[in-house]
């Protein structure tokens, strides 16, 4: 693994507002800028794509590596080593740039049942697998690899646009991000086809079983009990490649970044039954057809940006941590390609304000939070970073 210099980047908020509405940046009168610092300078990872905590008051962090490893370590800046929590490299297909072990979620009752869930791609045939594992009875830092139970499996027609995020909502149900199946332009029309799971955010009850499945359909899912052939697991659809979603721990609002095709990246607030437009729309713009598209019944993103700002959005978190007070409540997200990190203030939904915080010098693969809601950034360079305020 390459040794990588810790990048420290400082940019003034007063010079970097990208708010097209003309709203005043609430921090512009405060001489505050931001920098990224290596949160665990003695550790490095191989293509980290997710960071989670178990919600068990242990203070540990879990980092997901794309090849099929999950590493666990104590959440201390001085940490010098990790333990392998799960190794499923033999069954994970990570050959494509967007394939691999892509998501991790701990059951809300993990402390008592030891269950956690992963989202990974496999081959022969090409498919996504949502599986449950259980922690070892003997070692809390080691999973029982033989405990795997497949919860949900579906075919992947191409090797890109796999989504991959898993998260339990405030309602206790498991939400799953699924891309449109890949290629370019959604050639199979999956984004607007509710008879397939592709191009959607799913919502399932992993505490139940019905119809021969290792999960149940929540009765208030938008298509529960429908007679039109729509997949009942769908919570929302019309998405291209939702790369990272999260719940605001205070409001319960579900935020998602959806990677665009050629021109626009978008931020969505996901709500039950909504259609987010792909591939009729890319962002707020017609895609198919390129003009005059029928937008009736579609939900527009709450924010978008073009290729002058980045090439691939990485969804983040509504900040509820203890250290960056001026960002409290803002949605912090970034762009994998440009390294830009923004704060989207949506407190006035009619006039949202988006502020560029800094431009990192590493690819932003994912964001994560610990049990105290401190925010972390998974750099695809192998490091885990944090944001810090710098008072000038």
């Amino acid at each position: 693994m390459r040794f990588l210099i810790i990048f420290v980047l400082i940019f003034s908020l007063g010079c970097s507002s990208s708010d097209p509405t003309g709203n005043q940046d609430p921090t512009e009168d405060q001489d505050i800028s931001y920098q990224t610092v290596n949160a665990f300078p003695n550790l490095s990872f191989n293509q980290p794509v997710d960071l989670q905590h178990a919600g068990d008051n242990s203070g540990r962090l879990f980092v997901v590596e794309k090849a099929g490893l999950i590493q666990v370590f104590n959440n201390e800046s001085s940490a010098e080593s990790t333990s392998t929590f799960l190794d499923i490299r033999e069954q994970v297909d990570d050959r494509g740039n967007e394939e691999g072990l892509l998501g991790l979620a701990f059951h809300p009752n993990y402390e008592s049942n030891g269950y956690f869930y992963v989202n990974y791609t496999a081959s022969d045939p090409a498919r996504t697998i949502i599986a449950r594992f259980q922690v070892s009875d003997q070692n809390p830092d080691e999973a029982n690899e033989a405990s795997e139970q497949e919860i949900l499996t579906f075919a992947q027609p191409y090797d890109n646009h796999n989504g991959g995020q898993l998260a339990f909502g405030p309602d206790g149900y498991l939400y799953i991000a699924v891309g449109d199946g890949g290629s370019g332009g959604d050639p199979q029309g999956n984004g607007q086809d509710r008879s397939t799971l592709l191009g959607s955010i799913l919502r399932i009850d992993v505490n139940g079983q019905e119809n021969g499945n290792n999960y149940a359909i929540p009765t208030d899912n938008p298509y529960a009990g429908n007679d039109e052939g729509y997949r009942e697991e769908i919570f929302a659809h019309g998405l291209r490649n939702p790369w990272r979603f999260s719940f605001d721990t205070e409001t319960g609002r579900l935020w998602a970044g959806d990677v665009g095709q050629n021109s626009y990246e978008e931020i969505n607030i996901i709500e039950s039954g909504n259609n987010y437009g792909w591939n009729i729309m890319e962002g707020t713009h017609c895609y198919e057809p390129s003009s005059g598209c029928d937008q009736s019944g579609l939900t527009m993103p709450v924010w978008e940006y073009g290729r002058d700002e980045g090439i691939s959005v990485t969804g983040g978190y509504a900040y509820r941590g203890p250290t960056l007070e001026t960002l409290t409540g803002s949605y912090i997200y970034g762009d994998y390609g440009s390294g830009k990190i923004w704060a989207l203030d949506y407190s006035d939904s009619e006039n949202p304000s988006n502020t560029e915080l800094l431009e990192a010098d590493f690819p932003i693969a994912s964001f994560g939070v610990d049990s105290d809601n401190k925010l972390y950034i998974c750099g695809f360079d192998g490091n885990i970073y944090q944001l810090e305020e710098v008072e000038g």
Side-chain angles (χ1 to χ4, degrees):
M1 186 176 298
R2 295 177 298 128
F3 176 78
L4 295 153
I5 298 173
I6 303 169
F7 299 104
V8 180
L9 307 124
I10 306 175
F11 293 83
S12 169
L13 276 173
C15 298
S16 59
S17 175
S18 54
D19 173 18
T21 67
N23 287 354
Q24 183 179 7
D25 173 10
T27 66
E28 69 178 10
D29 292 331
Q30 305 174 44
D31 194 11
I32 296 176
S33 56
Y34 293 87
Q35 66 182 15
T36 58
V37 298
N38 194 327
F40 308 101
N42 300 314
L43 303 180
S44 60
F45 302 90
N46 181 21
Q47 296 184 322
V49 293
D50 199 8
L51 180 148
Q52 300 289 335
H53 69 88
D56 61 354
N57 299 307
S58 69
R60 297 172 299 164
L61 289 178
F62 298 77
V63 171
V64 177
E65 297 182 347
K66 181 175 175 290
L69 284 171
I70 299 176
Q71 305 284 1
V72 59
F73 59 98
N74 290 329
N75 185 4
E76 300 169 351
S77 62
S78 60
E80 295 186 345
S81 63
T82 67
S83 297
T84 297
F85 183 67
L86 181 71
D87 183 353
I88 54 172
R89 286 175 292 182
E90 289 189 358
Q91 60 216 69
V92 170
D93 179 7
D94 72 325
R95 293 172 294 178
N97 188 50
E98 299 178 28
E99 295 176 305
L101 177 58
L102 302 176
L104 166 68
F106 290 90
H107 193 282
N109 296 325
Y110 176 77
E111 196 167 5
S112 58
N113 63 27
Y115 292 155
F116 65 95
Y117 300 78
V118 296
N119 183 329
Y120 67 92
T121 56
S123 58
D124 301 322
R127 64 201 188 278
T128 284
I129 297 174
I130 311 300
R132 188 192 77 190
F133 287 85
Q134 192 168 23
V135 70
S136 166
D137 291 334
Q138 288 75 38
N139 185 352
D141 287 339
E142 183 178 297
N144 178 1
E145 294 176 10
S147 68
E148 181 175 13
Q149 180 184 71
E150 291 190 7
I151 302 298
L152 175 63
T153 302
F154 48 90
Q156 289 287 359
Y158 302 96
D159 64 2
N160 58 343
H161 302 182
N162 298 298
Q165 184 76 48
L166 293 169
F168 282 91
D171 51 18
Y173 296 129
L174 182 64
Y175 291 71
I176 305 164
V178 185
D180 67 4
S183 188
D186 193 12
Q188 298 182 351
N190 293 320
Q192 293 299 311
D193 182 2
R194 284 168 284 181
S195 68
T196 176
L197 298 180
L198 300 173
S200 303
I201 301 289
L202 311 181
R203 179 180 183 246
I204 61 174
D205 179 3
V206 296
N207 295 321
Q209 295 181 332
E210 62 183 12
N211 299 323
N213 297 317
N214 288 322
Y215 63 91
I217 302 296
T219 57
D220 59 346
N221 268 15
Y223 307 113
N226 81 89
D227 56 7
E228 297 174 279
Y230 300 155
R231 291 297 300 259
E232 297 178 79
E233 298 91 339
I234 294 173
F235 183 74
H237 72 290
L239 297 162
R240 181 178 178 273
N241 187 26
W243 183 247
R244 298 329 193 196
F245 69 80
S246 65
F247 291 91
D248 184 339
T249 57
E250 183 169 307
T251 67
R253 181 178 282 155
L254 176 52
W255 290 91
D258 195 17
V259 179
Q261 178 65 43
N262 297 316
S263 303
Y264 298 97
E265 306 297 304
E266 64 184 71
I267 300 296
N268 293 295
I269 293 176
I270 304 296
E271 296 179 336
S272 177
N274 284 10
N275 178 354
Y276 291 87
W278 177 251
N279 70 346
I280 300 170
M281 309 285 294
E282 181 185 9
T284 61
H285 309 266
C286 290
Y287 180 81
E288 184 63 43
S290 59
S291 63
C293 59
D294 183 2
Q295 302 180 30
S296 57
L298 305 183
T299 300
M300 295 298 107
V302 298
W303 196 263
E304 66 175 22
Y305 63 90
R307 286 297 181 267
D308 57 333
E309 297 286 350
I311 61 171
S312 182
V313 67
T314 298
Y317 286 79
Y319 185 75
R320 301 293 177 186
T323 58
L324 309 175
E325 294 183 4
T326 58
L327 300 180
T328 298
S330 291
Y331 179 67
I332 312 301
Y333 68 102
D335 187 271
Y336 174 86
S338 70
K340 292 183 178 180
I341 297 175
W342 296 276
L344 176 59
D345 182 353
Y346 197 66
S347 55
D348 179 358
S349 60
E350 297 300 317
N351 295 289
S353 174
N354 195 60
T355 300
E356 183 180 321
L357 302 181
L358 57 87
E359 186 172 330
D361 201 8
F362 55 85
I364 298 170
S366 191
F367 292 82
V369 295
D370 65 15
S371 57
D372 294 323
N373 284 319
K374 292 179 182 177
L375 184 70
Y376 298 86
I377 307 161
C378 293
F380 216 48
D381 61 2
N383 295 319
I384 306 299
Y385 296 89
Q386 282 183 297
L387 287 179
E388 284 189 351
E389 289 182 351
V390 178
E391 296 187 12

